[in-house]
Amino acid sequence: MTITITAFEASPDRGRGLARDMRVRWALEETGQPYDVRLLSFAEMKEPAHLALHPFGQIPTYEEGDLALFESGAIIFHIADRHAGLLPDEPNARARAVTWMFAAINTVEPPILDLFTAKIVEGDQPWAAQRVPLVQDRIRARLADLSAYLGDADWLDGAFSAGDLMMVEVLRRLSTSGLLAEYPNLAAYVARAEARPAYQRAFADQLAVFMAASTG
Ligand code: GTB
């Protein structure tokens, strides 16, 4: 059955692979699943046809036969659960990998999103200059704990898993902030993941969409 995901027609990240279709593309590449992409304008994302798939009018969505999903975490769990390559077979190891997926989106990602909001969305507010350092310190607290946990291991719990994929995707949002570089083992962890062939294919595909939109 054909898998179809949705992505921005013209991503505001300018092809840096920071929108959440990137993590879904990467999971599909890691598990060797071919997929189609339906590109949407901002207006199309808020129209009834897309709202029927995604109640909040966002990307990404995932369609496969009569199954339609939204939320990147749920989509990646579905892909990893159905196809080999992103979750271990051993039940306890599998549960721990899923735990890291939740840790990434529930514990590490929120302050990182707050930084984006504080700097970009609310950057012109009078209190922004005070808020940004507070949020940065909250991020540092998470990164310090994650860095101590990872130590000199390659991945969070044995072999590369959906937990690593999600954690790396969350950490990549910090690439231009300077914060990741304060934790060399985390910077190396992200670089190690970005060197994976599946990541490279996913990144190239989303970049090609941006290039076509900006030249076409
Ligand atoms: N919790 C949902 C999930 O994980 O799937 C969040 C989905 C989401 O935030 N989607 C965003 C969206 O559709 C795109 S990824 N936004 C449009 C809207 O809400 O109307 C977020 C994003 C946007 C832009 C950049 N950027 O420019 O760097 C990075 C990430």
Side-chain angles (χ1 to χ4, degrees), residues 120-145:
I120 309 296
V121 184
E122 298 167 353
D124 57 354
Q125 296 297 320
W127 32 261
Q130 285 171 297
R131 178 157 163 75
V132 167
L134 294 176
V135 177
Q136 286 173 327
D137 280 346
R138 264 182 235 136
I139 296 172
R140 284 192 180 95
R142 293 295 188 228
L143 296 185
D145 287 345

PDB file of all heavy atoms in Angstrom, residues 120-145:
ATOM      1  N   ILE A 120      11.958  34.227  18.138  1.00  0.00           N
ATOM      2  CA  ILE A 120      11.409  34.561  16.814  1.00  0.00           C
ATOM      3  C   ILE A 120       9.990  35.123  16.927  1.00  0.00           C
ATOM      4  O   ILE A 120       9.712  36.218  16.438  1.00  0.00           O
ATOM      5  CB  ILE A 120      11.404  33.312  15.891  1.00  0.00           C
ATOM      6  CG1 ILE A 120      12.785  32.638  15.887  1.00  0.00           C
ATOM      7  CG2 ILE A 120      10.949  33.687  14.475  1.00  0.00           C
ATOM      8  CD1 ILE A 120      13.921  33.444  15.316  1.00  0.00           C
ATOM      9  N   VAL A 121       9.111  34.375  17.593  1.00  0.00           N
ATOM     10  CA  VAL A 121       7.697  34.784  17.619  1.00  0.00           C
ATOM     11  C   VAL A 121       7.491  36.001  18.518  1.00  0.00           C
ATOM     12  O   VAL A 121       6.767  36.927  18.174  1.00  0.00           O
ATOM     13  CB  VAL A 121       6.804  33.604  18.095  1.00  0.00           C
ATOM     14  CG1 VAL A 121       5.327  33.985  18.040  1.00  0.00           C
ATOM     15  CG2 VAL A 121       7.068  32.353  17.259  1.00  0.00           C
ATOM     16  N   GLU A 122       8.185  36.002  19.687  1.00  0.00           N
ATOM     17  CA  GLU A 122       7.962  37.073  20.665  1.00  0.00           C
ATOM     18  C   GLU A 122       9.211  37.943  20.842  1.00  0.00           C
ATOM     19  O   GLU A 122       9.349  38.643  21.849  1.00  0.00           O
ATOM     20  CB  GLU A 122       7.549  36.445  22.006  1.00  0.00           C
ATOM     21  CG  GLU A 122       6.239  35.664  21.886  1.00  0.00           C
ATOM     22  CD  GLU A 122       5.947  34.755  23.087  1.00  0.00           C
ATOM     23  OE1 GLU A 122       6.829  34.616  23.964  1.00  0.00           O
ATOM     24  OE2 GLU A 122       4.856  34.189  23.124  1.00  0.00           O
ATOM     25  N   GLY A 123      10.105  37.873  19.866  1.00  0.00           N
ATOM     26  CA  GLY A 123      11.397  38.568  19.984  1.00  0.00           C
ATOM     27  C   GLY A 123      11.289  40.083  20.104  1.00  0.00           C
ATOM     28  O   GLY A 123      12.197  40.734  20.626  1.00  0.00           O
ATOM     29  N   ASP A 124      10.161  40.644  19.636  1.00  0.00           N
ATOM     30  CA  ASP A 124      10.027  42.107  19.701  1.00  0.00           C
ATOM     31  C   ASP A 124       9.273  42.568  20.958  1.00  0.00           C
ATOM     32  O   ASP A 124       9.006  43.756  21.118  1.00  0.00           O
ATOM     33  CB  ASP A 124       9.331  42.634  18.440  1.00  0.00           C
ATOM     34  CG  ASP A 124       7.966  41.988  18.231  1.00  0.00           C
ATOM     35  OD1 ASP A 124       7.617  41.055  18.998  1.00  0.00           O
ATOM     36  OD2 ASP A 124       7.243  42.416  17.312  1.00  0.00           O
ATOM     37  N   GLN A 125       8.962  41.640  21.836  1.00  0.00           N
ATOM     38  CA  GLN A 125       8.268  42.026  23.077  1.00  0.00           C
ATOM     39  C   GLN A 125       9.277  42.622  24.073  1.00  0.00           C
ATOM     40  O   GLN A 125      10.452  42.232  24.086  1.00  0.00           O
ATOM     41  CB  GLN A 125       7.602  40.789  23.712  1.00  0.00           C
ATOM     42  CG  GLN A 125       6.512  40.170  22.857  1.00  0.00           C
ATOM     43  CD  GLN A 125       5.340  41.119  22.620  1.00  0.00           C
ATOM     44  OE1 GLN A 125       4.916  41.847  23.512  1.00  0.00           O
ATOM     45  NE2 GLN A 125       4.853  41.136  21.392  1.00  0.00           N
ATOM     46  N   PRO A 126       8.825  43.518  24.923  1.00  0.00           N
ATOM     47  CA  PRO A 126       9.768  44.196  25.826  1.00  0.00           C
ATOM     48  C   PRO A 126      10.467  43.242  26.798  1.00  0.00           C
ATOM     49  O   PRO A 126      11.591  43.504  27.234  1.00  0.00           O
ATOM     50  CB  PRO A 126       8.885  45.207  26.581  1.00  0.00           C
ATOM     51  CG  PRO A 126       7.472  44.825  26.296  1.00  0.00           C
ATOM     52  CD  PRO A 126       7.459  44.053  25.006  1.00  0.00           C
ATOM     53  N   TRP A 127       9.818  42.114  27.108  1.00  0.00           N
ATOM     54  CA  TRP A 127      10.409  41.183  28.077  1.00  0.00           C
ATOM     55  C   TRP A 127      11.280  40.105  27.419  1.00  0.00           C
ATOM     56  O   TRP A 127      11.846  39.254  28.094  1.00  0.00           O
ATOM     57  CB  TRP A 127       9.319  40.515  28.910  1.00  0.00           C
ATOM     58  CG  TRP A 127       8.026  40.301  28.169  1.00  0.00           C
ATOM     59  CD1 TRP A 127       6.920  41.081  28.229  1.00  0.00           C
ATOM     60  CD2 TRP A 127       7.725  39.271  27.227  1.00  0.00           C
ATOM     61  NE1 TRP A 127       5.935  40.604  27.399  1.00  0.00           N
ATOM     62  CE2 TRP A 127       6.390  39.479  26.779  1.00  0.00           C
ATOM     63  CE3 TRP A 127       8.422  38.175  26.724  1.00  0.00           C
ATOM     64  CZ2 TRP A 127       5.770  38.653  25.847  1.00  0.00           C
ATOM     65  CZ3 TRP A 127       7.814  37.351  25.802  1.00  0.00           C
ATOM     66  CH2 TRP A 127       6.502  37.593  25.369  1.00  0.00           C
ATOM     67  N   ALA A 128      11.401  40.137  26.093  1.00  0.00           N
ATOM     68  CA  ALA A 128      12.126  39.065  25.389  1.00  0.00           C
ATOM     69  C   ALA A 128      13.577  38.956  25.861  1.00  0.00           C
ATOM     70  O   ALA A 128      14.096  37.854  26.059  1.00  0.00           O
ATOM     71  CB  ALA A 128      12.062  39.283  23.887  1.00  0.00           C
ATOM     72  N   ALA A 129      14.238  40.089  26.077  1.00  0.00           N
ATOM     73  CA  ALA A 129      15.662  40.055  26.452  1.00  0.00           C
ATOM     74  C   ALA A 129      15.863  39.365  27.803  1.00  0.00           C
ATOM     75  O   ALA A 129      16.913  38.764  28.050  1.00  0.00           O
ATOM     76  CB  ALA A 129      16.218  41.470  26.493  1.00  0.00           C
ATOM     77  N   GLN A 130      14.852  39.446  28.665  1.00  0.00           N
ATOM     78  CA  GLN A 130      14.975  38.762  29.964  1.00  0.00           C
ATOM     79  C   GLN A 130      14.594  37.287  29.851  1.00  0.00           C
ATOM     80  O   GLN A 130      15.158  36.441  30.533  1.00  0.00           O
ATOM     81  CB  GLN A 130      14.050  39.431  30.991  1.00  0.00           C
ATOM     82  CG  GLN A 130      14.577  40.764  31.470  1.00  0.00           C
ATOM     83  CD  GLN A 130      13.535  41.477  32.308  1.00  0.00           C
ATOM     84  OE1 GLN A 130      12.459  41.816  31.803  1.00  0.00           O
ATOM     85  NE2 GLN A 130      13.839  41.688  33.562  1.00  0.00           N
ATOM     86  N   ARG A 131      13.622  37.011  28.987  1.00  0.00           N
ATOM     87  CA  ARG A 131      13.119  35.630  28.898  1.00  0.00           C
ATOM     88  C   ARG A 131      14.120  34.697  28.211  1.00  0.00           C
ATOM     89  O   ARG A 131      14.282  33.554  28.639  1.00  0.00           O
ATOM     90  CB  ARG A 131      11.775  35.623  28.147  1.00  0.00           C
ATOM     91  CG  ARG A 131      11.196  34.246  27.950  1.00  0.00           C
ATOM     92  CD  ARG A 131       9.687  34.299  27.743  1.00  0.00           C
ATOM     93  NE  ARG A 131       9.186  33.050  27.170  1.00  0.00           N
ATOM     94  CZ  ARG A 131       9.049  31.923  27.856  1.00  0.00           C
ATOM     95  NH1 ARG A 131       9.384  31.867  29.119  1.00  0.00           N
ATOM     96  NH2 ARG A 131       8.583  30.844  27.246  1.00  0.00           N
ATOM     97  N   VAL A 132      14.778  35.170  27.171  1.00  0.00           N
ATOM     98  CA  VAL A 132      15.647  34.276  26.382  1.00  0.00           C
ATOM     99  C   VAL A 132      16.705  33.587  27.255  1.00  0.00           C
ATOM    100  O   VAL A 132      16.844  32.357  27.197  1.00  0.00           O
ATOM    101  CB  VAL A 132      16.276  35.036  25.187  1.00  0.00           C
ATOM    102  CG1 VAL A 132      17.408  34.226  24.561  1.00  0.00           C
ATOM    103  CG2 VAL A 132      15.200  35.333  24.140  1.00  0.00           C
ATOM    104  N   PRO A 133      17.459  34.304  28.108  1.00  0.00           N
ATOM    105  CA  PRO A 133      18.457  33.594  28.925  1.00  0.00           C
ATOM    106  C   PRO A 133      17.850  32.590  29.902  1.00  0.00           C
ATOM    107  O   PRO A 133      18.470  31.553  30.192  1.00  0.00           O
ATOM    108  CB  PRO A 133      19.183  34.708  29.689  1.00  0.00           C
ATOM    109  CG  PRO A 133      18.641  35.986  29.216  1.00  0.00           C
ATOM    110  CD  PRO A 133      17.519  35.753  28.270  1.00  0.00           C
ATOM    111  N   LEU A 134      16.640  32.875  30.375  1.00  0.00           N
ATOM    112  CA  LEU A 134      15.991  31.912  31.281  1.00  0.00           C
ATOM    113  C   LEU A 134      15.687  30.613  30.545  1.00  0.00           C
ATOM    114  O   LEU A 134      15.924  29.513  31.053  1.00  0.00           O
ATOM    115  CB  LEU A 134      14.679  32.493  31.834  1.00  0.00           C
ATOM    116  CG  LEU A 134      14.800  33.713  32.752  1.00  0.00           C
ATOM    117  CD1 LEU A 134      13.410  34.222  33.135  1.00  0.00           C
ATOM    118  CD2 LEU A 134      15.582  33.343  34.009  1.00  0.00           C
ATOM    119  N   VAL A 135      15.164  30.746  29.337  1.00  0.00           N
ATOM    120  CA  VAL A 135      14.839  29.556  28.548  1.00  0.00           C
ATOM    121  C   VAL A 135      16.129  28.816  28.165  1.00  0.00           C
ATOM    122  O   VAL A 135      16.190  27.583  28.212  1.00  0.00           O
ATOM    123  CB  VAL A 135      14.032  29.949  27.290  1.00  0.00           C
ATOM    124  CG1 VAL A 135      13.762  28.734  26.429  1.00  0.00           C
ATOM    125  CG2 VAL A 135      12.720  30.610  27.679  1.00  0.00           C
ATOM    126  N   GLN A 136      17.162  29.573  27.821  1.00  0.00           N
ATOM    127  CA  GLN A 136      18.441  28.924  27.466  1.00  0.00           C
ATOM    128  C   GLN A 136      18.959  28.083  28.639  1.00  0.00           C
ATOM    129  O   GLN A 136      19.476  26.984  28.445  1.00  0.00           O
ATOM    130  CB  GLN A 136      19.471  29.986  27.075  1.00  0.00           C
ATOM    131  CG  GLN A 136      19.199  30.578  25.694  1.00  0.00           C
ATOM    132  CD  GLN A 136      20.099  31.751  25.370  1.00  0.00           C
ATOM    133  OE1 GLN A 136      20.485  32.514  26.272  1.00  0.00           O
ATOM    134  NE2 GLN A 136      20.429  31.921  24.102  1.00  0.00           N
ATOM    135  N   ASP A 137      18.815  28.599  29.857  1.00  0.00           N
ATOM    136  CA  ASP A 137      19.290  27.832  31.013  1.00  0.00           C
ATOM    137  C   ASP A 137      18.451  26.577  31.245  1.00  0.00           C
ATOM    138  O   ASP A 137      18.975  25.542  31.682  1.00  0.00           O
ATOM    139  CB  ASP A 137      19.309  28.710  32.265  1.00  0.00           C
ATOM    140  CG  ASP A 137      20.554  29.603  32.275  1.00  0.00           C
ATOM    141  OD1 ASP A 137      21.481  29.341  31.476  1.00  0.00           O
ATOM    142  OD2 ASP A 137      20.591  30.560  33.070  1.00  0.00           O
ATOM    143  N   ARG A 138      17.157  26.659  30.916  1.00  0.00           N
ATOM    144  CA  ARG A 138      16.319  25.453  31.036  1.00  0.00           C
ATOM    145  C   ARG A 138      16.765  24.395  30.027  1.00  0.00           C
ATOM    146  O   ARG A 138      16.790  23.206  30.310  1.00  0.00           O
ATOM    147  CB  ARG A 138      14.849  25.808  30.814  1.00  0.00           C
ATOM    148  CG  ARG A 138      14.136  26.022  32.118  1.00  0.00           C
ATOM    149  CD  ARG A 138      12.674  26.336  31.898  1.00  0.00           C
ATOM    150  NE  ARG A 138      12.412  27.590  32.570  1.00  0.00           N
ATOM    151  CZ  ARG A 138      11.718  28.596  32.082  1.00  0.00           C
ATOM    152  NH1 ARG A 138      11.171  28.510  30.893  1.00  0.00           N
ATOM    153  NH2 ARG A 138      11.551  29.684  32.770  1.00  0.00           N
ATOM    154  N   ILE A 139      17.126  24.856  28.852  1.00  0.00           N
ATOM    155  CA  ILE A 139      17.636  23.910  27.840  1.00  0.00           C
ATOM    156  C   ILE A 139      18.952  23.306  28.315  1.00  0.00           C
ATOM    157  O   ILE A 139      19.165  22.090  28.224  1.00  0.00           O
ATOM    158  CB  ILE A 139      17.826  24.617  26.481  1.00  0.00           C
ATOM    159  CG1 ILE A 139      16.473  25.081  25.941  1.00  0.00           C
ATOM    160  CG2 ILE A 139      18.523  23.699  25.484  1.00  0.00           C
ATOM    161  CD1 ILE A 139      16.567  25.960  24.709  1.00  0.00           C
ATOM    162  N   ARG A 140      19.838  24.169  28.830  1.00  0.00           N
ATOM    163  CA  ARG A 140      21.143  23.663  29.319  1.00  0.00           C
ATOM    164  C   ARG A 140      20.950  22.577  30.382  1.00  0.00           C
ATOM    165  O   ARG A 140      21.695  21.593  30.418  1.00  0.00           O
ATOM    166  CB  ARG A 140      21.970  24.803  29.918  1.00  0.00           C
ATOM    167  CG  ARG A 140      22.598  25.697  28.891  1.00  0.00           C
ATOM    168  CD  ARG A 140      23.630  26.627  29.539  1.00  0.00           C
ATOM    169  NE  ARG A 140      24.205  27.477  28.515  1.00  0.00           N
ATOM    170  CZ  ARG A 140      23.747  28.718  28.233  1.00  0.00           C
ATOM    171  NH1 ARG A 140      22.736  29.238  28.916  1.00  0.00           N
ATOM    172  NH2 ARG A 140      24.319  29.415  27.269  1.00  0.00           N
ATOM    173  N   ALA A 141      19.974  22.743  31.247  1.00  0.00           N
ATOM    174  CA  ALA A 141      19.743  21.731  32.297  1.00  0.00           C
ATOM    175  C   ALA A 141      19.404  20.383  31.667  1.00  0.00           C
ATOM    176  O   ALA A 141      19.917  19.337  32.085  1.00  0.00           O
ATOM    177  CB  ALA A 141      18.619  22.195  33.221  1.00  0.00           C
ATOM    178  N   ARG A 142      18.561  20.393  30.628  1.00  0.00           N
ATOM    179  CA  ARG A 142      18.214  19.134  29.947  1.00  0.00           C
ATOM    180  C   ARG A 142      19.421  18.557  29.220  1.00  0.00           C
ATOM    181  O   ARG A 142      19.673  17.351  29.248  1.00  0.00           O
ATOM    182  CB  ARG A 142      17.091  19.373  28.932  1.00  0.00           C
ATOM    183  CG  ARG A 142      15.766  19.753  29.532  1.00  0.00           C
ATOM    184  CD  ARG A 142      15.204  18.627  30.360  1.00  0.00           C
ATOM    185  NE  ARG A 142      13.841  18.917  30.784  1.00  0.00           N
ATOM    186  CZ  ARG A 142      13.389  18.779  32.027  1.00  0.00           C
ATOM    187  NH1 ARG A 142      14.210  18.350  32.976  1.00  0.00           N
ATOM    188  NH2 ARG A 142      12.153  19.041  32.330  1.00  0.00           N
ATOM    189  N   LEU A 143      20.167  19.433  28.547  1.00  0.00           N
ATOM    190  CA  LEU A 143      21.322  18.958  27.774  1.00  0.00           C
ATOM    191  C   LEU A 143      22.397  18.384  28.699  1.00  0.00           C
ATOM    192  O   LEU A 143      23.038  17.382  28.363  1.00  0.00           O
ATOM    193  CB  LEU A 143      21.910  20.086  26.928  1.00  0.00           C
ATOM    194  CG  LEU A 143      21.004  20.670  25.835  1.00  0.00           C
ATOM    195  CD1 LEU A 143      21.785  21.689  24.996  1.00  0.00           C
ATOM    196  CD2 LEU A 143      20.425  19.586  24.940  1.00  0.00           C
ATOM    197  N   ALA A 144      22.584  18.998  29.851  1.00  0.00           N
ATOM    198  CA  ALA A 144      23.608  18.504  30.786  1.00  0.00           C
ATOM    199  C   ALA A 144      23.251  17.092  31.244  1.00  0.00           C
ATOM    200  O   ALA A 144      24.113  16.198  31.288  1.00  0.00           O
ATOM    201  CB  ALA A 144      23.723  19.448  31.979  1.00  0.00           C
ATOM    202  N   ASP A 145      21.979  16.874  31.568  1.00  0.00           N
ATOM    203  CA  ASP A 145      21.560  15.530  32.013  1.00  0.00           C
ATOM    204  C   ASP A 145      21.678  14.518  30.876  1.00  0.00           C
ATOM    205  O   ASP A 145      22.120  13.389  31.077  1.00  0.00           O
ATOM    206  CB  ASP A 145      20.113  15.567  32.519  1.00  0.00           C
ATOM    207  CG  ASP A 145      20.006  16.269  33.872  1.00  0.00           C
ATOM    208  OD1 ASP A 145      21.044  16.471  34.532  1.00  0.00           O
ATOM    209  OD2 ASP A 145      18.868  16.637  34.250  1.00  0.00           O
TER     210      ASP A 145
END
